[in-house]
Amino acid sequence: GAVVSQHPSWVICKSGTSVKIECRSLDFQATTMFWYRQFPKQSLMLMATSNEGSKATYEQGVEKDKFLINHASLTLSTLTVTSAHPEDSSFYICSAPGTGGEKLFFGSGTQLSVL
Amino acid sequence: GQQLNQSPQSMFIQEGEDVSMNCTSSSIFNTWLWYKQDPGEGPVLLIALYKAGELTSNGRLTAQFGITRKDSFLNISASIPSDVGIYFCAGRARGGATNKLIFGTGTLLAVQP
């Protein structure tokens, strides 16, 4: 299957700082990537769809100014949590569709803890 | 966002037992995917299903695309301790945006050696 690399695996930051999370497709190109958020013992909730070369599409209720997404190349999408607060603490996971677009492959996730 | 109904919510079994879990939707799906997630990791794809009635195996795992296209089942035979984790179904509704999956609520599986 396709490999999606996500970095960092975990990050601890102070309230008010910004945190950038990277998602890379290692052996394939991805014009679209997806960013999910997952709270403990809950399912994955889609936050936004990252589109290479154009603006991201955000799900209802997700603040685009809070969660900045950049998809500057066919293999890299970044999610920046701006002015992070404790309520932003969560597990963030990116994904990308493999060849053919039917299967979705996930990164290993980033655990964000905001103090 | 929309979620699929997945059951059971959790299972605690003995090593060697068989496991069954399922997902149901109120709408027709064109694709069903089953994932396993270990703690602190991203979901890993186990099985993908594309046709109603399709039955697909991956080692001790077998999944089926329901005939009504509104449900899917995952069976694990002869469970082992490393089967522990959270299992998610995911589906793509007919007419849904390409690659936009809806996820189930998850089934937590615990296997006692």
Side-chain angles (χ1 to χ4, degrees):
Chain A
V3 178
V4 177
S5 175
Q6 187 171 342
H7 179 82
S9 297
W10 57 270
V11 57
I12 302 172
C13 68
K14 292 182 179 180
S15 185
T17 61
S18 295
V19 174
K20 180 185 284 188
I21 303 170
E22 293 187 348
C23 182
R24 296 180 184 273
S25 55
L26 293 188
D27 51 358
F28 66 104
Q29 295 181 333
T31 56
T32 303
M33 291 185 179
F34 300 90
W35 288 94
Y36 293 83
R37 185 172 182 177
Q38 186 179 32
F39 291 104
K41 299 182 181 179
Q42 293 191 20
S43 188
L44 288 78
M45 299 302 296
L46 181 64
M47 298 174 64
T49 301
S50 173
N51 303 299
E52 188 269 334
S54 64
K55 292 182 180 180
T57 305
Y58 291 81
E59 295 299 302
Q60 190 173 9
V62 178
E63 299 176 58
K64 61 180 180 180
D65 296 329
K66 174 73 170 177
F67 300 100
L68 298 179
I69 291 174
N70 184 281
H71 196 149
S73 77
L74 289 172
T75 59
L76 174 64
S77 175
T78 61
L79 168 68
T80 301
V81 183
T82 62
S83 187
H85 291 283
E87 57 266 28
D88 298 323
S89 298
S90 188
F91 194 56
Y92 293 87
I93 316 173
C94 69
S95 68
T99 303
E102 290 295 331
K103 299 177 182 178
L104 208 57
F105 296 93
F106 287 85
S108 54
T110 298
Q111 181 64 51
L112 172 63
S113 297
V114 185
L115 304 178
Chain B
Q2 184 179 356
Q3 286 189 331
L4 301 173
N5 293 318
Q6 186 172 346
S7 65
Q9 189 174 27
S10 61
M11 302 181 73
F12 299 90
I13 63 172
Q14 293 286 123
E15 182 177 2
E17 291 184 15
D18 297 342
V19 172
S20 290
M21 59 191 80
N22 68 83
C23 264
T24 59
S25 168
S26 57
S27 55
I28 291 175
F29 274 49
N30 284 340
T31 304
W32 284 98
L33 305 173
W34 284 92
Y35 290 87
K36 181 192 177 195
Q37 185 178 28
D38 292 329
E41 297 288 333
V44 174
L45 181 63
L46 300 174
I47 294 177
L49 303 162
Y50 304 108
K51 297 180 182 179
E54 180 180 354
L55 188 70
T56 298
S57 293
N58 177 6
R60 292 178 295 105
L61 279 63
T62 301
Q64 184 166 23
F65 195 137
I67 293 293
T68 65
R69 301 178 70 182
K70 293 183 177 182
D71 55 8
S72 180
F73 306 86
L74 175 69
N75 296 314
I76 305 174
S77 62
S79 59
I80 58 179
S82 61
D83 290 333
V84 166
I86 302 177
Y87 292 79
F88 289 102
C89 62
R92 184 175 298 113
R94 183 175 61 183
T98 301
N99 300 325
K100 195 166 182 178
L101 290 179
I102 302 168
F103 280 84
T105 47
T107 295
L108 171 64
L109 176 64
V111 180
Q112 184 171 359

